[in-house]
């Protein structure tokens, strides 16, 4: 999945270089810039400013953060594509800039589905080009009917994925045991919507129905708090409540509940992937 998106980014890079980046005024675009496609700032039904990302047969669309960060918390509210969104992928992720084979990446991808079937939230992590750390989740709500907040927390010890402030997944820094972890390089935030019907829905069995196009997802209330190791933002200080968050009993209970009720795939527990050897080392440390 990561390589497919890399090809998408590469193929659109020429367009991005030829066209001037669209800078739009307003609160969201203090931090964000539109990259390509039919992406625009709109006023949503609640009179708030949002960025609409639209996919049609001719183009995808994307925006990105103006700044990079090395250790940070990223929040954004998203309302996903309603109806038959099979084949489409809406993404919210962080990635380093540079050679793809050595890149770091922290992913949230929403895999569309046929009408009446639930979205899948696909999470993954790459460190120095090593990926394949996928876990997938379903929701207890319809993410197309209203906005919900999605959060990535990345610090030197943990990566946390939260939905409406509820912890869905944590990745611990187990570098001392040889496990990969993104640690040394800053990342930039991206959001995209694109066609991935070769794999996104039921392994590519359900294709995008272009008669349903355009497909549009909405993003609002973006917030980025950068916490470099020697920064002075008070929200990053020990005891601030989130950046040095450890898995206290409340968070452990959330994880247990999510694993029981919402998790639908775990790379550590997929026997088809490890016929010729054991799963990655960190699977035995969880």
């Amino acid at each position: 999945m990561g390589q497919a998106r890399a090809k998408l980014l590469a193929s659109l890079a020429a367009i991005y270089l030829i066209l001037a980046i669209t800078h739009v005024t307003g609160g969201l675009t203090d931090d964000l810039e539109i990259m390509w496609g039919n992406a625009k700032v709109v006023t949503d039904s609640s009179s708030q400013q949002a960025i609409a990302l639209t996919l049609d047969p001719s183009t995808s669309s994307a925006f990105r953060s103006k700044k990079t960060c090395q250790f940070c918390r990223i929040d954004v509210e998203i309302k996903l594509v309603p109806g038959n969104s099979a084949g489409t992928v809406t993404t919210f992720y962080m990635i380093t800039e540079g050679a793809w084979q050595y890149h770091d990446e922290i992913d949230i991808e929403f895999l569309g589905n046929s009408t009446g079937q639930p979205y899948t939230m696909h999470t993954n992590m790459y460190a120095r080009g090593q990926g394949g750390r996928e876990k997938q989740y379903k929701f207890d709500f319809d993410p197309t009917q209203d906005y919900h907040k999605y959060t990535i927390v990345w610090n030197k010890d943990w990566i946390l994925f939260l939905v409406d402030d509820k912890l869905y997944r944590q990745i611990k820094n187990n570098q001392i045991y040889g496990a990969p972890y993104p640690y040394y390089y800053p990342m930039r935030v991206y959001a995209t919507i694109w066609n991935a019907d070769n794999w996104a829905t039921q392994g590519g069995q359900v294709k995008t129905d272009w008669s349903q196009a355009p497909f549009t997802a909405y993003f609002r209330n973006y917030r980025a708090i950068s916490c470099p190791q020697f920064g002075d933002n008070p929200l990053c200080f020990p005891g601030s409540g989130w950046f040095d968050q450890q898995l206290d009993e409340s968070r452990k209970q959330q994880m247990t509940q999510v694993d029981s009720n919402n998790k639908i795939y775990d790379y550590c527990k997929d026997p088809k992937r490890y016929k010729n050897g054991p799963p990655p080392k960190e699977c035995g440390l969880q």
Side-chain angles (χ1 to χ4, degrees):
M1 281 72 85
Q3 290 181 338
R5 187 169 59 253
K7 292 179 181 178
L8 172 71
L9 290 171
S11 66
L12 292 168
I15 300 174
Y16 178 61
L17 291 172
I18 293 171
L19 299 175
I21 300 174
T22 304
H23 293 277
V24 284
T25 59
L28 272 176
T29 52
D30 291 343
D31 299 310
L32 304 172
E33 59 189 7
I34 290 172
M35 292 188 70
W36 62 68
N38 187 9
K40 58 186 178 182
V41 176
V42 299
T43 301
D44 67 19
S45 58
S46 62
S47 300
Q48 293 193 54
Q49 189 184 63
I51 294 181
L53 292 185
T54 297
L55 170 69
D56 59 39
S58 63
T59 185
S60 61
S61 56
F63 66 81
R64 71 176 187 179
S65 62
K66 292 180 179 179
K67 297 180 180 179
T68 61
C69 67
Q70 186 174 5
F71 305 137
C72 47
R73 172 178 174 139
I74 308 295
D75 298 290
V76 69
E77 293 180 359
I78 306 173
K79 183 162 70 171
L80 294 172
V81 178
N84 184 1
S85 58
T88 71
V89 177
T90 303
T91 70
F92 163 54
Y93 65 100
M94 305 170 66
I95 190 169
T96 53
E97 299 171 325
W100 172 258
Q101 62 267 34
Y102 303 117
H103 83 290
D104 299 340
E105 185 174 347
I106 302 170
D107 283 338
I108 296 179
E109 299 181 312
F110 302 97
L111 312 185
N113 216 331
S114 303
T115 302
Q117 298 297 315
Y119 264 85
T120 294
M121 184 176 76
H122 176 98
T123 65
N124 199 3
M125 181 271 290
Y126 285 79
R128 306 306 292 148
Q130 297 184 59
R133 269 67 184 177
E134 304 96 338
K135 291 187 180 182
Q136 296 180 344
Y137 304 86
K138 63 181 181 180
F139 296 123
D140 299 322
F141 54 85
D142 184 348
T144 73
Q145 293 301 302
D146 204 350
Y147 288 91
H148 292 269
K149 184 168 73 171
Y150 302 91
T151 301
I152 296 172
V153 176
W154 169 42
N155 63 36
K156 60 184 180 61
D157 299 314
W158 301 92
I159 296 168
L160 306 178
F161 298 87
L162 300 98
V163 180
D164 292 330
D165 294 319
K166 182 177 182 178
L167 182 61
Y168 270 57
R169 180 182 182 185
Q170 62 88 13
I171 300 173
K172 186 177 181 180
N173 181 354
N174 281 313
Q175 286 180 301
I176 61 172
Y177 300 108
Y181 189 82
Y183 192 86
Y184 300 103
Y185 301 97
M187 297 197 223
R188 193 181 298 274
V189 179
Y190 285 79
T192 64
I193 184 170
W194 55 295
N195 179 44
D197 63 6
N198 61 325
W199 66 269
T201 307
Q202 297 181 29
Q205 297 181 53
V206 183
K207 303 300 183 182
T208 303
D209 181 359
W210 291 109
S211 70
Q212 303 295 313
F215 305 97
T216 302
Y218 296 89
F219 298 74
R220 73 180 188 190
N221 289 334
Y222 173 87
R223 183 183 73 161
I225 302 172
S226 181
C227 288
Q229 292 195 69
F230 305 106
D232 57 2
N233 187 328
L235 292 173
C236 306
F237 292 168
S240 64
W242 67 266
F243 192 71
D244 60 345
Q245 177 77 58
Q246 299 298 311
L247 291 186
D248 58 19
E249 287 305 313
S250 175
R251 291 297 194 194
K252 289 178 181 178
Q253 290 175 10
Q254 288 181 4
M255 288 280 293
T256 299
Q257 182 184 49
V258 167
D259 283 352
S260 298
N261 300 331
N262 303 91
K263 188 166 68 175
I264 56 178
Y265 179 81
D266 185 336
Y267 75 102
C268 287
K269 299 177 180 179
D270 184 350
K272 296 179 181 179
R273 297 182 67 161
Y274 310 116
K275 292 181 179 179
N276 300 318
K281 185 176 293 185
E282 71 270 14
C283 291
L285 300 172
Q286 295 181 10

